[in-house]
Amino acid sequence: MAPPGGRRRYIVAERESFNSDWRRGVAEGWINPMTDTVVLTSIRDSLSVSPHAAHSVPDLPANVRTVRFPRSARYEQGRLEIEYEILEDDGRVWLARIRPIT
């Protein structure tokens, strides 16, 4: 069912590779599970209605995109990048990877 306004909602799910990266980030300190979880929830909500808003990534399939956001408040600079896949037939967005970038 489409939400009000007729926009399709995608189901946002996490691949095991994403969960593994998240756990590693928490252990290494570049993910703050208290604050970054709130940001991730907002990103998931956004991707559920606008997964095509980000540009595709050169040298990767057209359905693979990335979204970047600031690191947790513990860091003065840098960002995190989430790589995700859009599967139109399934109506899903799969969060595939998360990594720190400078």
Side-chain angles (χ1 to χ4, degrees):
M1 174 189 289
R7 296 179 81 179
R8 176 183 183 181
R9 286 193 75 82
Y10 291 76
I11 296 168
V12 180
E14 299 162 356
R15 297 207 181 277
E16 180 52 36
S17 55
F18 179 88
N19 290 325
S20 177
D21 289 346
W22 185 272
R23 288 188 301 270
R24 188 180 82 244
V26 170
E28 293 175 0
W30 49 267
I31 289 180
N32 179 331
M34 298 297 285
T35 58
D36 292 336
T37 300
V38 174
V39 174
L40 180 60
T41 298
S42 177
I43 289 170
R44 289 172 62 93
D45 289 346
S46 176
L47 291 177
S48 73
V49 293
S50 300
H52 296 281
H55 296 289
S56 58
V57 179
D59 301 324
L60 291 177
N63 70 320
V64 175
R65 311 283 170 114
T66 61
V67 63
R68 295 179 176 183
F69 63 97
R71 285 187 184 181
S72 66
R74 293 172 54 185
Y75 291 91
E76 294 179 10
Q77 63 184 25
R79 298 169 74 75
L80 297 176
E81 180 177 75
I82 295 175
E83 180 181 304
Y84 64 94
E85 305 165 57
I86 306 165
L87 298 181
E88 293 292 344
D89 293 344
D90 296 339
R92 289 188 181 265
V93 172
W94 285 98
L95 304 181
R97 308 287 310 174
I98 186 169
R99 65 186 182 98
I101 56 174
T102 56

